């Protein structure tokens, strides 16, 4: 392996995430079927598809949270176990109990647990880092607030601050824009661009087709099988959307409007 | 020391240790919405206890403890197996598993251990009153009441568990998926916690019986949940309320007052404390709500 690596030409970096022949089934019902995709590093990548298309499952499979029926996943051309600490996961906001007795700062501190490993407790260094992450998300003043006292948008910011505290290379987000206010949405978009500009990769399950061309560089169209994957301008077209969503015309017309707007240069 | 003072001290100390060991784990059961799983384990360890007893003919054997802990884990495993089949809901799977195991334990005891001092009554209500008479000696050296040692051991074990794995328990309770993603194996943490619950139930079982263990596991934690919004304080308050229930419950059960089962008195006291806090809690309490509505 080592010798072939030195002989390889100095071309582009390996994919941030490579998924090969991936099939995931719950009981006998497949939720992902033979998915093959290599996601490039340093891009903002959207995973889109109808409900039940396996979008969240794809994220979980990449993170090793669900058993793979067949296929494999590699992170930066290495096994997941070796790269686990370079991945940050932002689950759906509704996946946790916000009545849990803890503060916003405590939740952000959880992002540092992976580096600390077993038994070691977070110290001053971790607390400072967590405070900076809260600050970056514009909610430093809410550090000591019990998490149920936060609005939906603030809770999402806490989750993103926690992911920042992981100091990861690749961020996997499950619907980061779901149920947040317009200000939070702008903050999140701003953050995603900052992360990309630092060379990090963001993969987000996304629902709003209209904003795909504006927010993302790259898109994975998924409906149980992979429909298409590539740069937005190449694969985010009516034909692929039709294959992904079938005859759901309302969604398609929204996407068409967004595409048209982009072509006319109304959206940067 | 006068015999009756010694007697009272041992019983109260046992009660305090039962409470402390249970109320250290209770908050995690409450937050994981597993209160009834605690109840299930406390009942379902019975066949393990019975088998251990039948094999060794001793109430003080390691086999009994191990058998009970194994039965506790089998319970958790069976509940998850039923749940994963997706044919029954979570509460139903709990309700299916533990009465079956408890009944199996009762059958085993009635069939094979009928003439010995492990009778169904003390299994159900416990016999904390007899703790002072169960003296332990090692090679002729009198060590004092055996239940006291066992309960102290379990309390220490739970304390170490909660202190050493505080961060891991907190993370996998709040967000198990992130716990897995960070490499903390939520599944392992689940079984570590369940093993501790099973061991605690075995130790507490002799003192307070299968039915009342859950009162010590859940009630102090649920009471503490009413008054604090930080996990560390929740644990401290839970232990505090547990100890208070043990001491107050002993007082309640004295001859001069109710003259009832000590374990029953302690569980009742735990319930009374909960009711009191539920009404008087500073922010979420009934009185505070009324005051807000009137003003």
């Amino acid at each position: 392996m080592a010798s072939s690596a030195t002989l390889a030409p100095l071309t582009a970096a390996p994919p941030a995430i490579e998924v090969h022949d991936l099939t995931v089934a719950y009981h006998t019902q497949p939720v992902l079927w033979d998915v093959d995709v290599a996601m490039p590093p340093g891009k903002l990548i959207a995973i889109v598809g109808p409900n039940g298309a396996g979008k969240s499952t794809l994220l979980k499979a990449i993170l090793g949270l669900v058993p793979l029926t067949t296929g494999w996943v590699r992170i930066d051309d290495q096994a997941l176990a070796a790269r686990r600490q370079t991945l940050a996961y932002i689950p759906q906001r509704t996946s946790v109990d916000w009545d849990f007795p803890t503060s916003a700062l405590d939740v952000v501190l959880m992002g540092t647990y992976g580096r600390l490993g077993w038994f070691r407790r977070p110290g001053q260094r971790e607390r400072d880092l967590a405070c900076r992450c809260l600050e970056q998300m514009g909610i430093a003043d809410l550090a000591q607030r019990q998490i149920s006292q936060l609005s939906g948008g603030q809770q999402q910011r806490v989750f993103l601050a926690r992911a920042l505290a992981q100091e990861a290379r690749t961020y996997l987000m499950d619907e980061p824009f779901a149920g947040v206010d317009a200000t939070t949405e702008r903050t999140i978009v701003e953050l995603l661009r900052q992360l990309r500009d630092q060379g990090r990769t963001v993969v987000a399950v996304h629902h709003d087709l209209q904003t795909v061309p504006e927010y993302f560089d790259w898109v994975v169209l998924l409906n149980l099988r992979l429909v298409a994957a590539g740069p937005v301008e190449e694969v985010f077209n009516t034909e692929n959307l039709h294959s992904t969503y079938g005859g759901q015309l309302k969604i398609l017309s929204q996407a068409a409007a967004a595409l048209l707007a982009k072509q006319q240069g109304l959206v940067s | 020391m006068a015999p009756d003072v010694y007697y009272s001290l041992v019983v109260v100390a046992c009660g305090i240790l039962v409470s402390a060991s249970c109320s250290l784990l209770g908050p995690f059961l409450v937050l994981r919405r597993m209160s009834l799983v605690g109840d299930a384990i406390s009942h379902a360890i019975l066949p393990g206890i019975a088998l251990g007893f039948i094999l060794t003919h001793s109430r003080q054997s390691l086999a009994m403890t191990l058998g009970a802990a194994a039965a506790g884990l089998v319970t958790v495993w069976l509940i998850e197996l039923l749940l994963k089949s997706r044919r029954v809901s979570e509460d139903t799977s709990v309700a299916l598993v533990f009465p079956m195991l408890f009944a199996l334990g009762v059958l085993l005891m009635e069939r094979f251990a009928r003439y010995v001092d492990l009778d169904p009554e003390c299994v159900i209500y416990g016999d904390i009153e007899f703790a002072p008479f169960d003296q332990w000696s090692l090679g002729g050296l009198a060590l004092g009441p055996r239940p006291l040692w066992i309960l102290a051991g379990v309390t220490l074990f739970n304390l170490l568990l909660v202190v050493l794995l505080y961060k891991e328990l907190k993370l996998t309770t709040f967000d198990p998926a992130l716990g897995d993603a960070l490499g903390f194996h939520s599944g392992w943490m689940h079984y570590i916690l369940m093993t501790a619950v099973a061991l605690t139930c075995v130790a507490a079982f002799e003192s307070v019986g299968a039915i009342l263990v859950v009162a010590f596991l859940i009630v102090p934690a649920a009471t503490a949940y009413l008054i604090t919004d930080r996990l560390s304080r929740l644990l401290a308050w839970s232990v505090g309320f547990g100890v208070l229930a043990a001491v107050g419950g002993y007082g309640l059960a004295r001859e001069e007052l109710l003259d009832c089962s000590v374990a029953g008195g302690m569980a009742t006291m735990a319930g009374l404390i909960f009711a009191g806090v539920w009404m008087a809690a500073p922010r979420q309490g009934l009185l505070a709500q009324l005051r807000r509505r009137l003003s």
Side-chain angles (χ1 to χ4, degrees), chain B residues 171-191:
Chain B
L171 173 63
T172 55
T173 302
F174 176 64
D175 193 344
L178 184 74
D180 279 330
L182 292 178
F184 288 111
H185 303 280
S186 301
W188 295 2
M189 293 308 301
H190 177 68
Y191 275 95

Side-chain angles (χ1 to χ4, degrees), chain A residues 150-268:
Chain A
L150 302 170
S151 72
Q154 289 165 340
Q155 289 174 346
Q156 191 64 48
R157 289 173 192 226
V158 169
F159 259 19
L160 286 158
R162 183 175 74 173
L164 287 176
Q166 281 183 251
E167 296 182 320
R169 276 175 63 88
T170 302
Y171 292 78
L172 299 150
M173 309 186 175
D174 203 342
E175 300 194 29
F177 298 106
V180 303
D181 52 282
T183 325
T184 303
E185 180 150 342
R186 276 196 301 278
T187 313
I188 297 175
V189 171
E190 195 55 42
L191 172 75
L192 299 191
R193 289 181 179 150
Q194 277 174 22
L195 290 171
R196 176 193 53 195
D197 296 343
Q198 292 162 2
R200 300 171 207 264
T201 313
V202 177
V203 181
V205 171
H206 193 58
H207 254 303
D208 182 9
L209 290 179
Q210 267 184 304
T211 51
V212 168
E214 187 190 344
Y215 291 173
F216 294 95
D217 314 317
W218 223 80
V219 65
V220 176
L221 292 149
L222 194 68
N223 188 358
L224 184 69
R225 297 159 192 271
L226 181 75
V227 176
V232 170
E233 54 273 20
E234 284 173 28
V235 302
F236 195 71
N237 54 41
T238 327
E239 195 190 335
N240 282 335
L241 284 168
H242 210 278
S243 314
T244 313
Y245 285 88
Q248 298 176 40
L249 288 172
K250 187 162 168 260
I251 290 170
L252 292 178
S253 62
Q254 280 173 1
L259 280 170
L260 197 64
K262 173 126 182 166
Q263 277 157 14
Q264 290 172 349
L266 294 176
V267 178
S268 60

Side-chain angles (χ1 to χ4, degrees), chain B:
Chain B
M1 200 188 300
D4 58 330
V5 174
Y6 172 76
Y7 172 86
S8 302
L9 276 180
V10 171
V11 173
V12 170
C14 282
I16 288 175
L17 289 171
V18 168
S19 287
S21 58
C22 288
S23 51
L24 276 167
L25 303 179
F28 294 104
L29 294 179
V30 169
L31 291 173
R32 286 167 179 244
R33 303 185 189 278
M34 291 179 59
S35 300
L36 284 177
V37 177
D39 193 26
I41 290 177
S42 68
H43 284 72
I45 57 176
L46 192 59
I49 289 179
L51 272 180
F53 181 77
I54 290 162
L55 289 176
T56 59
H57 282 277
S58 156
R59 280 188 60 172
Q60 305 164 15
S61 69
L62 189 66
M64 205 169 89
T65 310
L66 292 179
L73 292 181
V74 167
T75 313
V76 175
W77 178 72
L78 280 176
I79 291 172
E80 279 179 18
L81 196 73
L82 281 174
L83 196 58
K84 276 190 193 147
S85 77
R86 295 198 179 183
R87 301 243 166 75
V88 289
S89 64
E90 184 165 15
D91 55 338
T92 310
S93 63
V94 171
L96 278 168
V97 171
F98 89 80
M100 191 192 73
L101 286 171
F102 188 69
L104 182 68
V106 171
L107 284 182
L108 282 172
M109 275 171 39
E110 296 235 314
R111 181 68 187 80
F112 297 106
R114 194 179 301 167
Y115 303 109
V116 283
D117 60 343
L118 190 73
D119 64 294
E121 196 151 308
C122 80
V123 162
I124 292 168
Y125 305 115
D127 51 4
I128 198 169
E129 290 91 339
F130 295 104
F133 306 118
D134 187 359
Q135 293 286 326
W136 199 21
S137 63
L138 206 66
L141 183 70
L143 293 172
R146 194 182 53 88
L148 208 54
W149 281 101
I150 291 177
L151 287 168
V154 169
T155 306
L156 187 68
F157 175 79
N158 288 353
L159 190 66
L160 280 175
L161 179 78
V162 168
V163 169
L164 285 177
L165 292 176
Y166 178 76
K167 153 176 135 272
E168 289 78 4
L169 282 168
K170 182 177 180 175
L171 173 63
T172 55
T173 302
F174 176 64
D175 193 344
L178 184 74
D180 279 330
L182 292 178
F184 288 111
H185 303 280
S186 301
W188 295 2
M189 293 308 301
H190 177 68
Y191 275 95
I192 289 173
L193 183 64
M194 289 304 115
T195 307
V197 171
L199 287 173
T200 307
C201 286
V202 182
F205 168 90
E206 267 190 70
S207 298
V208 299
I211 292 182
L212 295 180
V213 172
V214 73
F216 294 88
L217 274 172
I218 303 305
V219 182
T223 314
Y225 188 72
L226 295 175
I227 58 164
T228 177
D229 53 16
R230 292 293 182 277
L231 181 59
S232 48
R233 279 176 240 157
L234 178 63
L235 283 162
W237 278 107
S238 176
V239 173
F241 283 130
V243 169
L244 191 65
V247 177
Y250 182 75
L252 200 67
R254 275 181 324 160
E255 276 171 37
E256 304 86 78
L257 216 58
L258 292 181
D259 192 16
C260 66
S261 136
V262 171
M266 289 176 175
T268 305
M269 185 52 89
L272 289 175
I273 294 170
F274 176 84
V277 172
W278 189 64
M279 286 194 276
R283 264 173 301 160
Q284 290 125 320
L286 202 63
L287 293 180
Q289 279 176 17
L290 272 180
R291 203 162 40 230
R292 269 200 296 275
R293 207 168 299 164
L294 290 178
S295 65

Side-chain angles (χ1 to χ4, degrees), chain A residues 17-35:
Chain A
I17 296 166
E18 191 179 0
V19 172
H20 182 69
D21 273 355
L22 178 76
T23 296
V24 176
Y26 291 131
H27 299 273
T28 52
Q29 187 71 37
V31 281
L32 281 177
W33 189 262
D34 206 17
V35 173

